Amino acid sequence: MAGTDPEPAGRLRADAVLLGFARALRAAGADTSSERVHTFLRAVDALRPGVRADVYWAGRLTLCGDRDDLERYDRVFAAYFGTGETPTRPTRTLVPPRMRLTLREAPVGPRPDGPRGERQGPPTASLASSVEVLRHRDVADLDAVERAQVRRLLAAFALRGQPRRTARRRPARRGTVDPHRTVRELLRRGGEPALLRRHARAERPRRVVLLVDVSGSMAPYADALLRFAHAAARGQRTEVFTIGTRLTRVTRELSHRDPDLAMASVAEAVPDWRGGTRLGELLREFLDRWGQRGMARGAVVVLLSDGWERGDPELLAAQMRRLHRLAHRVVWANPRKARPGYAPLAAGMAAALPSVDAFVEGHSLAALEHLAAVVRGADVGADPGGTGGPDKARSGDGTTAPRASGRLP
């Protein structure tokens, strides 16, 4: 009946789908703040939440902050809501918000109150609800069609390291007075009083180093994690290595824009697919050849592994302590962590955890989105791994213990 509010279940379902799209767009690198998301939800509510064109333009006008976000938005929208015709102009005629009854399929014909001949797109909820469910599915349990959809969503990811202040300064509206620019402004005005020019410390993202486990136990997740690494490698300060029985640097192979070409190049370059795991020895090799020389200094180092170690766990523990002293932050993403009743009882995982700042899941799209937020240093609430943040670490028995300081800034 017109004039009645929609059912709460349908309203919550629609909001969950739209929030999932906003999270996917944020994972792609767009600056989708909470204010923008709130405005997006209000705009969709004022239009027709079940119509593709209305959702597209509502998000494009509220969630994009600059020109760079437009290309990301189109890519994420196509991956999240499925392919379809993108409207060339926004719909002009609005529907009052209280006329929306529930999420249902819109009629295929022209709108009664809209321009003649304008066709409505497929219903947003039915297209995106499966994607929202897919975001939380374990990658190892997906079929071929679902894996292809996950690959499209992973291609829209972006990964940036936590920002840090540099020694360089840039002009700013607030900050300390810039004497050189202020004096130049006075001279330009012939000595007349002028506004004080100010500057502030510039920021740049920290380097991100990804160590992806491609051993046999990680085979169900290797493709998705490497595609996540491919999206991350589009940044200028990201390095990617594979670990198994050998350490292989694959940053150059992942530089291809096409994900499939990048995966083919990685397959040719990596000689130890589905082999054993020598985490301690390979971590030592990484630190000796690259990390100690500067690659890991002040960086965010992410290990994507289940923690199964064929070598000496004491060696792994010693190298993790060494890594922790060099890196700004050490993050471990374990796909097995999401399984019911999981405990870090594997010798390698238990040995590494005291030197880990954030222990997160890595089994699904939602888990990888959370991982990207952790790498960015965003405040994402309580860490699902319970590691207690950068000042505490989880010991082998699951308790938290304070960590000694002394790491590089």
Side-chain angles (χ1 to χ4, degrees):
M1 181 180 299
T4 60
D5 291 330
E7 297 182 0
R11 182 73 173 269
L12 292 176
R13 181 167 174 256
D15 289 345
V17 169
L18 298 176
L19 287 174
F21 170 64
R23 286 193 294 267
L25 188 60
R26 184 183 296 114
D31 184 18
T32 53
S33 61
S34 56
E35 292 80 6
R36 290 183 181 275
V37 174
H38 180 66
T39 306
F40 170 55
L41 294 178
R42 292 180 58 188
V44 173
D45 189 64
L47 298 171
R48 298 167 298 175
V51 178
R52 178 189 183 88
D54 287 4
V55 175
Y56 173 85
W57 286 108
R60 197 174 192 267
L61 296 174
T62 57
L63 297 177
C64 297
D66 52 40
R67 290 182 179 272
D68 294 337
D69 289 343
L70 298 179
E71 189 271 335
R72 297 190 189 100
Y73 181 84
D74 291 339
R75 187 172 69 248
V76 176
F77 190 90
Y80 194 88
F81 292 105
T83 57
E85 292 185 1
T86 300
T88 57
R89 58 182 177 85
T91 305
R92 295 180 179 179
T93 307
L94 306 183
V95 177
R98 296 180 65 84
M99 293 296 290
R100 179 171 61 85
L101 304 180
T102 183
L103 289 175
R104 62 180 182 271
E105 188 161 347
V108 178
R111 292 179 57 183
D113 56 348
R116 181 171 297 179
E118 179 182 348
R119 298 176 64 86
Q120 298 176 348
T124 298
S126 61
L127 283 172
S129 58
S130 60
V131 178
E132 182 62 19
V133 173
L134 190 63
R135 289 179 60 251
H136 301 275
R137 291 274 306 279
D138 194 309
V139 174
D141 300 333
L142 303 181
D143 56 29
V145 176
E146 293 169 333
R147 285 181 181 274
Q149 196 168 13
V150 166
R151 289 171 180 173
R152 290 195 298 269
L153 290 170
L154 285 173
F157 263 62
L159 188 65
R160 291 174 61 87
Q162 183 176 351
R164 66 177 180 87
R165 292 194 302 172
T166 66
R168 295 180 178 271
R169 295 183 179 271
R170 57 172 179 80
R173 299 181 63 181
R174 296 191 179 105
T176 58
V177 175
D178 186 345
H180 299 287
R181 294 177 61 238
T182 302
V183 169
R184 285 197 299 267
E185 183 69 15
L186 286 171
L187 293 176
R188 191 177 67 85
R189 292 173 175 265
E192 294 293 330
L195 292 175
L196 295 177
R197 302 298 178 179
R198 300 180 181 275
H199 58 189
R201 298 274 291 274
E203 290 186 347
R204 67 181 304 183
R206 294 182 180 274
R207 178 185 289 109
V208 178
V209 180
L210 301 177
L211 303 176
V212 184
D213 190 345
V214 294
S215 62
S217 60
M218 288 288 292
Y221 303 97
D223 180 76
L225 295 180
L226 284 172
R227 289 178 181 272
F228 172 77
H230 170 260
R234 289 197 297 260
Q236 297 180 354
R237 295 177 59 82
T238 303
E239 294 285 346
V240 183
F241 295 81
T242 61
I243 52 178
T245 57
R246 297 184 183 183
L247 179 70
T248 308
R249 187 180 185 181
V250 293
T251 306
R252 179 178 299 178
E253 285 74 14
L254 291 175
S255 63
H256 291 286
R257 293 181 60 88
D258 186 271
D260 294 329
L261 289 178
M263 292 302 105
S265 299
V266 171
E268 295 179 0
V270 176
D272 54 337
W273 287 99
R274 302 193 177 189
T277 313
R278 300 186 298 127
L279 295 177
E281 297 178 25
L282 297 184
L283 188 56
R284 179 174 60 186
E285 180 182 348
F286 164 74
L287 292 173
D288 290 341
R289 295 182 60 185
W290 289 285
Q292 195 75 38
R293 297 182 179 182
M295 185 179 289
R297 291 182 181 271
V300 180
V301 181
V302 182
L303 294 98
L304 300 106
S305 172
D306 55 6
W308 288 97
E309 171 64 302
R310 193 176 67 177
D312 185 7
E314 292 298 326
L315 175 60
L316 176 59
Q319 298 307 312
M320 286 296 297
R321 290 192 296 267
R322 183 181 168 195
L323 173 63
H324 185 265
R325 289 192 296 267
L326 289 172
H328 173 74
R329 200 175 190 200
V330 179
V331 181
W332 195 299
N334 189 337
R336 313 288 180 182
K337 183 177 182 293
R339 297 187 175 182
Y342 171 83
L345 301 179
M349 196 74 257
L353 274 180
S355 300
V356 172
D357 296 312
F359 183 39
V360 299
E361 301 170 356
H363 68 296
S364 65
L365 279 172
L368 293 177
E369 290 174 5
H370 180 267
L371 171 61
V374 171
V375 172
R376 289 195 305 268
D379 183 10
V380 292
D383 175 33
T387 56
D391 296 325
K392 292 184 178 181
R394 180 177 291 276
S395 62
D397 58 358
T399 60
T400 57
R403 186 194 308 285
S405 60
R407 57 196 315 167
L408 295 175

